[in-house]
């Protein structure tokens, strides 16, 4: 039996070149379906990786009560002082709590891809800000000098927006700013931001004395509950505390969901189209070999090997298509930089990521198309009557 | 037996194959129509923008405000016919995820500048007089099952009142709509005065100004004059046409148009390949039959037309079913998303484009087989099994 299966399968595969038109169409259409699906998955994964990579468990983010995002939060000087005095916050070598009060405003940047303006987050920070971002490093230049019109720019901003190269001068409103450094936080959301001195930003945006968020280094991830309890029980403080991981998870789920909810249905609808193609190709293949199969039956081959032979051919064609689609998507899309509006109403720069899991999904989809497309033609091949050998 | 019957018979001779082909063509046009409607809905703000309408924004970014006094100063600029202002309210209903577009505006001048908006229910006089009166777009009204005259508490996720609350109590006094279905009416307008007097911070500031010039040819001059007016002030401005602003905002979402085009292109390439090769194969199988027809006196051009009509018919059957499915799908989804994506529906333009594509698609896939069939030599054809 096994030898029969092997023989029929080899006959099928060797005869593919005779039907190259239909076979090629099947391979290419499956490749396109897989390519579209992987393209969307790469976009969603890249976006999610950027957002997920941002959250840290041992950094607490404090924003005004019921604000949901930094953009519309407001905390006064007194609030900052009260948070500073809270429990569970780590201290530096000189005994000061490691916290950073920050103001987050929106500025315009010019996108390289479309040459149009897009919202960029401009963050006013103090000297502790870098130590509160895991993986922060200056890749070029230096930090801004306190009180000056100097900026440091995230790598993502540099990649997607023009005019932020080292030493460039940028006009925001009536002020001129100079880029003195480029920083990286290893692909997190902060790479899409521009940082400047808190006091200068407060003045420029007429927000003297108020900040939007306070970040604090916790002594351990468990200390979060302690700080939360403290803030809740402090009547002078109306604020919400969460870990940075929770904070980003709650603000940025929407965009990657939209990408996913568009990608999968599209891939499935297109897969139906490709399925019809595969099905046709396999019917054609069985039709073309009706006499051949009947002859095999006449000389003693059973129906089952004919079934397996046709299924194998279909699965092989589909998996070749799947691999071609995955390969092309990987070569074209992996690492491509893009940006879109994120939860904070500002641009988040991210890179497309074609992950192994996505490739597996793509190949599985291809195999499903191959299996479904080959099944009925294979049954038909198994049932070919011996009499057909004469026709 | 006339030609039409002949075409129909040969098309559906192999039922499974014909059904599968119809299925693939159907998916291509389903994707085309649905994505086309999405892209149209996204772009509706750009397409329905009036040519003589300008928008003045804070030059740093449009999320920043400008002083209320700018309104009066822009009104003085030569060439400005009517000017109004609006501020982003950041509204939601009960829960933050029930996001609602809301603007606080000066009602009288707003309805003057946006002349395409027409009140369809309620009294304008009440709207202008009572501060807690709001005007609601027809697209949005149905989404939450509200009715005219109902009171709703509208939350803001940006603005706090002096008393600490973020809820504005509104009465839906007027429902407005536009005759052109493509003009979005998926938002609420509330009275600026009502909003401004309760604000805890940022009082006497407005979000942006909208003005009409009456003549697109003076747009550039008017824009420059307005921006010059506020140069070197803490709130410098940038004035552009309504369409340019809408386009720039869309760009922020990333290149959606390109993605949609690529997906539609990929779907069509897939289907074209499948249908094309199947057609070639189907005609090859019929070589003998075509030879018989030629023997019977069918002229080559007539056979050419036969085969071509067959593929066009196939494309139309599959395409029209896909178009029908898309229309049903869009009717359902469109009602659900009226608040977010106004005007999401099948239009005659999309249907027309789709039908033109179906015919083109049928011609392209049928051309090769039709030429082959026309060229079949009677002697060779009859010899073939």
């Amino acid at each position: 039996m096994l030898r029969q299966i092997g023989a029929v399968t080899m006959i099928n595969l060797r005869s593919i070149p005779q039907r190259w038109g239909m076979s090629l169409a099947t391979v290419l259409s499956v490749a396109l379906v897989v390519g579209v699906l992987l393209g969307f998955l790469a976009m969603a994964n890249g976006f999610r990786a950027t957002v997920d990579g941002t959250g840290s468990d041992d950094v607490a983010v404090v924003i005004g009560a019921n604000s949901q995002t930094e953009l519309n939060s407001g905390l006064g000087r007194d609030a900052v002082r009260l948070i500073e005095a809270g429990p569970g916050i780590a201290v530096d070598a000189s005994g000061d709590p490691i916290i950073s009060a920050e103001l987050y405003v929106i500025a315009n940047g010019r996108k390289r891809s479309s040459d149009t303006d897009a919202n960029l987050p401009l963050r006013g920070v103090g000297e502790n800000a870098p130590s509160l971002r895991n993986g922060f490093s200056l890749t070029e230049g230096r930090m801004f000098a306190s009180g000056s019109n100097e900026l440091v720019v995230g790598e993502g901003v540099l990649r997607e927006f023009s005019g932020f190269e080292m030493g460039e001068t940028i006009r925001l409103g009536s002020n001129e700013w100079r880029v003195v450094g480029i920083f990286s936080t290893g692909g997190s959301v902060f790479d899409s931001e521009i940082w400047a001195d808190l006091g200068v930003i407060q003045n420029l945006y007429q927000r003297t004395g108020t900040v939007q968020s306070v970040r604090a280094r916790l002594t351990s991830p468990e200390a979060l509950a302690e700080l939360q309890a403290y803030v809740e029980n402090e009547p002078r403080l109306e604020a919400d505390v969460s870990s940075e991981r929770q904070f980003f998870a709650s603000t940025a789920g929407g965009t990657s969901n939209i990408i996913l909810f568009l990608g999968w249905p599209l891939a499935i609808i297109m897969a139906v189209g490709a399925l019809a193609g595969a099905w046709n190709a396999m019917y054609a293949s069985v039709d073309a070999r009706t006499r051949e199969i009947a002859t095999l039956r006449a000389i003693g081959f059973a129906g089952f090997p004919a079934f397996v032979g046709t299924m194998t051919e279909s699965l092989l064609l589909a998996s070749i298509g799947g691999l071609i689609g995955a390969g092309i998507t990987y070569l074209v899309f992996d690492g491509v930089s893009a940006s879109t509006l994120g939860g904070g109403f500002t641009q988040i720069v991210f890179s497309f990521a074609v992950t192994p899991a996505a490739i597996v999904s793509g190949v599985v989809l291809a195999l499903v198309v191959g299996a479904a497309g080959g099944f009925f033609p294979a049954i038909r091949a198994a049932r070919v009557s011996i009499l057909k050998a004469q026709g | 037996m006339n030609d039409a019957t002949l075409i129909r018979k040969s098309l559906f001779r192999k039922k499974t194959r014909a059904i599968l082909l119809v299925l693939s063509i159907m998916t291509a046009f389903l994707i085309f129509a649905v994505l086309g409607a999405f892209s149209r809905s996204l772009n509706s703000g750009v397409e329905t923008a009036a040519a003589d309408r300008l928008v003045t924004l804070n030059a740093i970014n449009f999320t920043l405000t400008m002083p209320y006094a700018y309104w009066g100063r822009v009104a003085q600029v030569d060439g400005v016919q009517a000017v109004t202002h609006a501020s982003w309210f950041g509204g939601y209903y009960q829960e933050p995820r029930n996001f609602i577009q809301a603007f606080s505006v000066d009602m009288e001048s707003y309805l003057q500048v946006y002349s395409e908006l027409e009140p369809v229910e309620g009294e304008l006089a009440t709207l202008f007089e009572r501060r807690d009166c709001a005007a609601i777009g027809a697209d949005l009204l149905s989404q939450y099952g509200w009715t005219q005259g109902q009171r709703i508490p509208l939350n803001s996720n940006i603005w706090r009142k002096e008393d600490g609350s973020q809820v504005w109590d509104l009465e839906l006094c007027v429902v407005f709509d536009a005759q052109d279905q493509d003009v979005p009416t998926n938002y609420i307008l509330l009275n600026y005065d009502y909003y401004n007097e309760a604000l805890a911070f940022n009082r006497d500031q407005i979000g942006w100004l909208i003005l009409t010039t009456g003549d697109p040819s003076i747009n550039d001059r008017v824009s420059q004059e307005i921006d010059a007016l506020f140069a070197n002030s803490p709130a410098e401005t940038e004035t552009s046409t309504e369409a340019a602003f809408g386009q720039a905002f869309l760009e922020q979402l990333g290149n959606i148009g390109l993605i949609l085009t690529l997906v539609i292109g990929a779907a069509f390439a897939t289907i074209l390949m499948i249908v094309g090769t199947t057609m070639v194969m189907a005609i090859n199988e019929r070589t003998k039959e075509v030879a018989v027809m030629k023997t019977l006196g069918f002229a080559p051009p007539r056979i050419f037309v036969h085969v071509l009509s067959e593929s066009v018919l196939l494309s139309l059957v599959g395409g029209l079913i896909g178009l029908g499915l898309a229309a049903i799908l869009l009717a359902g989804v469109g009602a659900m998303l009226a608040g977010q994506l106004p005007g999401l529906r099948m239009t005659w333009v999309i249907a027309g484009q789709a039908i033109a594509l179906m015919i083109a698609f049928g011609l392209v896939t049928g051309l090769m087989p039709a030429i082959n069939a026309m060229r079949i030599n009677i002697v060779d054809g009859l010899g073939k099994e």
Side-chain angles (χ1 to χ4, degrees):
Chain A
M1 190 64 150
L2 276 177
R3 271 171 61 188
Q4 284 192 4
I5 292 177
V8 176
T9 308
M10 282 318 290
I11 291 172
N12 276 6
L13 300 186
R14 285 205 181 127
S15 66
I16 287 179
Q18 286 168 26
R19 303 179 305 274
W20 66 269
M22 283 308 284
S23 307
L24 188 68
T26 306
V27 168
L28 289 183
S29 54
V30 173
L32 274 170
V33 172
V34 171
V36 167
L37 173 68
L38 286 187
F40 274 101
L41 288 180
M43 201 148 75
N45 287 335
F47 185 80
R48 191 173 292 162
T50 299
V51 174
D52 284 352
T54 304
S56 174
D57 279 325
D58 59 357
V59 172
V61 180
V62 187
I63 57 172
N66 302 318
S67 302
Q68 292 134 28
T69 69
E70 286 184 81
L71 202 57
N72 55 297
S73 149
L75 294 168
R77 272 200 194 101
D78 301 338
V80 176
R81 225 162 277 141
L82 284 166
I83 296 163
E84 238 171 5
I89 296 175
V91 292
D92 60 16
S94 53
D96 293 326
I98 306 175
I99 72 158
S100 170
E102 300 176 357
L103 186 67
Y104 177 94
V105 292
I106 298 179
N108 275 357
R110 196 152 270 268
K111 264 186 141 169
R112 286 184 200 271
S113 59
S114 55
D115 204 30
T116 48
D117 285 345
N119 293 358
L120 271 182
L122 170 58
R123 193 182 284 276
V125 299
E127 54 185 15
N128 273 335
S131 59
L132 281 158
R133 269 78 181 181
N134 297 336
F136 180 94
S137 64
L138 276 174
T139 54
E140 254 186 89
R142 56 174 174 83
M143 236 5 226
F144 56 79
S146 173
S148 69
N149 281 7
E150 290 177 339
L151 297 170
V152 290
V153 173
E155 265 184 349
V157 174
L158 190 66
R159 208 161 64 214
E160 283 288 303
F161 294 85
S162 53
F164 290 102
E165 285 79 9
M166 274 287 289
E168 289 277 336
T169 308
I170 299 147
R171 216 173 122 81
L172 297 171
S174 47
N175 295 50
E176 300 229 316
W177 299 77
R178 210 161 67 81
V179 179
V180 297
I182 310 292
F183 69 88
S184 164
T185 54
S188 78
V189 167
F190 300 116
D191 284 0
S192 319
E193 298 186 347
I194 305 169
W195 288 4
D197 185 66
L198 176 65
V200 180
I201 299 282
Q202 281 177 330
N203 276 334
L204 175 65
Y205 288 82
Q206 292 142 32
R207 300 269 187 90
T208 316
T210 67
V211 297
Q212 283 161 323
S213 61
V214 175
R215 280 180 162 68
R217 167 75 64 193
L218 296 166
T219 49
S220 71
E222 289 72 41
L224 179 70
E226 221 180 313
L227 186 63
Q228 274 171 329
Y230 163 79
V231 169
E232 213 167 295
N233 294 325
E234 172 57 71
R236 288 170 293 172
L237 201 50
E238 285 192 13
D240 291 334
V241 187
S242 51
S243 78
E244 200 177 35
R245 186 186 295 283
Q246 293 163 351
F247 183 74
F248 280 102
S250 68
T251 54
T255 308
S256 62
N257 279 346
I258 290 172
I259 300 170
L260 272 180
F261 287 143
L262 197 61
W264 270 106
L266 266 174
I268 286 167
I269 294 176
M270 282 180 65
V272 171
L275 176 70
W279 201 323
N280 250 323
M282 294 321 296
Y283 261 128
S285 161
V286 172
D287 270 359
R289 288 179 296 111
T290 307
R291 179 177 286 184
E292 179 187 309
I293 296 169
T295 309
L296 285 173
R297 298 291 303 279
I299 59 173
F301 279 78
F304 187 65
F307 176 85
V308 176
T310 308
M311 277 303 270
T312 310
E313 181 184 341
S314 177
L315 288 172
L316 183 75
L317 291 179
S319 47
I320 292 175
L323 290 175
I324 291 178
I328 291 176
T329 318
Y330 182 78
L331 290 178
V332 174
F333 282 136
D334 196 49
V336 167
S337 176
S339 70
T340 187
L341 273 188
F345 212 53
T346 52
Q347 296 286 313
I348 291 182
V349 179
F350 62 98
S351 299
F352 279 53
V354 181
T355 60
I359 291 180
V360 170
S361 308
V363 173
V364 166
L365 181 70
L367 289 177
V368 168
V369 168
F375 186 71
F376 287 100
I379 285 183
R380 200 163 135 197
R383 287 189 179 158
V384 166
S385 142
I386 296 176
L387 290 176
K388 287 271 168 88
Q390 316 310 319
Chain B
M1 192 186 265
N2 63 15
D3 281 17
T5 322
L6 212 56
I7 292 167
R8 197 167 39 103
K9 291 271 183 194
S10 44
L11 180 58
F12 291 103
R13 183 165 54 178
K14 286 209 165 173
K15 281 219 176 58
T16 326
R17 178 157 73 201
I19 291 169
L20 288 174
L21 284 179
V22 164
L23 199 65
S24 358
I25 297 171
M26 185 193 87
T27 54
F29 283 95
L30 176 67
I31 291 174
F32 172 82
V34 172
L35 291 188
F38 264 98
S39 142
R40 198 184 133 278
S41 167
L42 277 173
N43 283 304
S44 62
V46 178
E47 275 156 24
T48 58
D52 69 336
R53 202 146 58 201
L54 303 179
V55 185
T56 299
L57 309 157
N58 188 308
I60 297 181
N61 184 272
F62 65 82
T63 56
L64 294 178
T65 54
M66 55 182 100
Y68 181 79
Y70 280 21
W71 185 27
R73 290 183 62 191
V74 166
Q76 305 299 317
V77 172
D78 185 34
V80 173
Q81 282 190 338
V83 54
T84 189
H85 65 85
S87 308
W88 179 250
F89 184 74
Y92 65 92
Y93 177 60
Q94 290 171 340
E95 301 246 0
R97 64 189 159 87
N98 296 331
F99 163 77
I100 289 170
Q101 272 195 63
F103 308 104
S104 54
V105 302
D106 174 68
M107 293 288 181
E108 258 184 286
S109 60
Y110 192 88
L111 290 172
Q112 193 186 353
V113 169
Y114 287 97
S115 51
E116 68 267 38
L117 300 180
E118 286 167 1
V120 288
E121 276 177 63
E123 288 291 324
L124 277 186
T126 341
L127 181 66
F128 297 158
E129 271 165 31
R130 278 188 34 204
R131 17 196 344 123
D132 61 343
C133 260
I136 182 166
D139 281 345
L140 184 61
L141 189 72
S142 55
Q143 198 183 359
Y144 286 94
W146 293 329
T147 48
Q148 190 239 332
Q150 188 176 342
R151 293 199 78 86
I152 62 148
L154 189 65
N155 296 59
S156 168
N157 62 25
I158 304 177
W159 310 111
R160 251 189 328 279
K161 287 178 168 179
E162 231 168 2
D163 62 14
S165 104
Q166 288 177 297
V167 190
W168 270 257
D169 190 35
L170 300 175
E171 182 172 330
L172 304 176
C173 298
V174 166
V175 180
F176 63 89
D177 204 352
Q179 282 197 338
D180 181 352
Q181 270 194 291
D182 289 345
V183 173
T185 53
N186 57 339
Y187 50 91
I188 289 183
L189 299 173
L190 62 144
N191 274 306
Y192 177 81
D193 293 339
Y194 176 55
Y195 142 93
N196 191 47
E197 70 175 10
L199 279 184
F201 62 102
N202 218 33
R203 226 180 254 187
D204 296 325
Q205 291 276 316
I206 52 178
W208 59 94
L209 292 160
I210 312 101
L211 56 111
T212 53
T213 59
D215 177 6
S217 68
I218 62 168
N219 284 354
D220 281 346
R221 180 187 61 75
V222 173
S223 317
Q224 280 159 19
E225 272 184 42
I226 293 173
D227 293 342
L229 213 53
F230 308 115
N232 298 318
S233 78
E236 293 191 355
T237 62
E238 187 172 316
T239 305
S240 61
T241 62
E242 194 183 14
F245 173 66
Q247 187 64 47
F249 189 78
L250 269 188
E251 299 281 358
Q252 297 227 34
L253 289 174
N255 217 329
I256 289 180
L258 183 69
I259 293 171
L260 295 187
T261 316
L262 283 177
V263 170
I264 295 175
F268 271 94
T270 312
I271 308 299
L272 190 74
M273 264 175 341
I274 294 171
V275 177
T277 42
T278 313
M279 287 301 288
V280 172
M281 207 175 62
I283 300 305
N284 275 343
E285 279 172 15
R286 291 202 326 240
T287 308
K288 196 172 191 174
E289 185 184 312
V290 173
V292 171
M293 285 169 78
K294 282 191 169 174
T295 317
L296 290 174
F298 279 83
R302 193 164 162 200
I303 289 173
F304 179 82
V305 172
H306 258 206
V307 176
L308 213 52
S309 316
E310 210 180 302
S311 66
V312 173
L313 181 68
L314 182 74
S315 174
L316 281 174
V317 171
L320 289 175
I321 296 176
L323 206 58
L325 281 181
I328 296 170
L329 196 70
L330 285 171
V333 178
M336 245 159 53
L337 295 179
Q340 284 94 41
L341 281 169
L344 186 64
R345 67 197 152 81
M346 181 73 81
T347 63
W348 290 114
V349 178
I350 294 176
Q353 284 171 344
I355 290 171
L357 259 176
M358 284 171 213
I359 293 169
F361 183 77
L363 292 176
V364 170
T365 50
L367 192 64
M368 269 291 291
I371 292 175
N372 285 347
M374 193 171 70
R375 283 188 182 153
I376 285 169
N377 181 300
I378 296 181
V379 180
D380 293 349
L382 287 176
K384 198 168 174 177
E385 353 166 355

